[in-house]
Amino acid sequence: MNILMVGDVFGEPGRTALLRLLPGLKREHRVDLTVVNVENAAGGFGVTPKICRDFLDHGVDVMTSGNHIWDRREIVEYIARENLLLRPANFPLGTPGTGHVTVKAGPHRVAVINLMGRVFMGALDCPFRTADALVAELRRETPIILVDMHAEATSEVMALGWYLDGRVSAVVGTHRHVQTADERVLPGGTAYITDLGMTGPVDSVIGVDKDLILRRFLTQMPVKFEPAKGPAALCGALITVDPETGRASDIRRLRVPA
């Protein structure tokens, strides 16, 4: 089974790159399932129902998110009824939406879990203990489990990768918008990468107009952030999984110019 996981889609450049490149990538790599982090897809902050519908219509199977999921008020009603858009599973009890979903990919079932880190982030439930409970539940349905760990600290993502090694098919990091070069299959058969990277404008500072960021650093004055314009790229990873055991055999970084 070939799985494509795509890093944070940022603003209009990221949306255009994803929609333009995804069909070809799916054909070229015979992708069975596509998971995309969408929490920055609307102008760099949040996501809207229309954007979600466009992504689903163009071949995205599951959408994950993170700390910006509530930036657009209209997403609250949508996420409450659309389980293909996930919010972190370790949000407090009673938060709208769900943090995991199981979908069909051909004859197989695949579970996707969305978690968020706590280091330099909000005060949430423990992602490790949340993962324990969900993985135990989901493994009764399928051995193929994918985890998007949306976190600031690389150490927290790495720790979760080792913690879940052998129990899930993949642990990938999102949030930092900079792709890491540490992809590997861990000894227990879990594909791992600390950050998938950003799908968005190349000539930017993590997606934002570089001149605005420079002004902020130089003056320390408040600046309204805007997505950068210009060329974009899609970043993510291709993961090969044995559908019978759920063990990964390969993970490859992707960085494709739009």
Side-chain angles (χ1 to χ4, degrees):
M1 172 174 282
N2 297 317
I3 295 164
L4 173 62
M5 300 190 76
V6 177
D8 307 52
V9 176
F10 196 96
E12 188 277 333
R15 300 197 306 271
T16 300
L18 178 71
L19 297 178
R20 182 177 298 167
L21 294 171
L22 185 57
L25 288 172
K26 292 180 70 170
R27 288 193 302 270
E28 178 184 356
H29 300 287
R30 298 181 180 180
V31 171
D32 300 293
L33 184 83
T34 303
V35 180
V36 180
N37 189 291
V38 302
E39 71 145 15
N40 299 122
F45 299 94
V47 65
T48 66
K50 181 184 183 305
I51 290 172
C52 290
R53 289 191 293 267
D54 285 346
F55 286 170
L56 293 173
D57 289 343
H58 285 81
V60 175
D61 296 296
V62 178
M63 299 169 288
T64 57
S65 65
N67 56 304
H68 286 291
I69 185 58
W70 310 123
D71 286 2
R72 305 283 173 158
R73 183 180 304 175
E74 60 266 39
I75 206 63
V76 176
E77 181 181 350
Y78 179 83
I79 203 171
R81 55 183 169 79
E82 178 53 80
N83 65 358
L84 296 179
L85 172 62
L86 303 181
R87 47 82 173 161
N90 53 325
F91 272 12
L93 188 66
T95 302
T98 182
H100 66 92
V101 69
T102 302
V103 296
K104 290 291 293 293
H108 306 291
R109 295 171 67 81
V110 180
V112 182
I113 300 173
N114 195 176
L115 296 168
M116 196 160 92
R118 297 190 294 181
V119 179
F120 309 124
M121 302 285 274
L124 300 177
D125 295 340
C126 175
F128 295 83
R129 291 183 171 86
T130 300
D132 274 338
L134 288 177
V135 169
E137 171 189 338
L138 293 170
R139 283 188 68 86
R140 292 195 285 266
E141 299 181 48
T142 177
I144 311 166
I145 302 175
L146 313 172
V147 179
D148 176 347
M149 175 60 157
H150 198 80
E152 186 75 41
T154 57
S155 58
E156 194 172 17
V157 182
M158 295 178 77
L160 187 76
W162 286 111
Y163 188 67
L164 294 179
D165 183 28
R167 292 192 282 162
V168 302
S169 304
V171 173
V172 302
T174 56
H175 176 67
R176 285 142 299 204
H177 296 195
V178 178
Q179 189 178 62
T180 55
D182 60 344
E183 74 280 8
R184 62 179 293 195
V185 178
L186 299 175
T190 295
Y192 174 83
I193 185 169
T194 299
D195 202 291
L196 291 172
M198 177 189 70
T199 296
V202 174
D203 297 331
S204 69
V205 177
I206 60 172
V208 178
D209 184 295
K210 59 184 183 297
D211 293 328
L212 297 176
I213 295 290
L214 288 172
R215 190 189 312 165
R216 174 70 175 269
F217 278 121
L218 289 168
T219 68
Q220 292 299 298
M221 294 296 290
V223 174
K224 182 182 179 182
F225 291 163
E226 299 286 349
K229 301 185 185 304
L234 180 149
C235 288
L238 281 165
I239 301 164
T240 305
V241 175
D242 182 336
E244 301 303 322
T245 65
R247 290 173 62 95
S249 60
D250 188 46
I251 177 170
R252 286 176 286 161
R253 268 179 297 136
L254 276 183
R255 186 182 185 280
V256 186

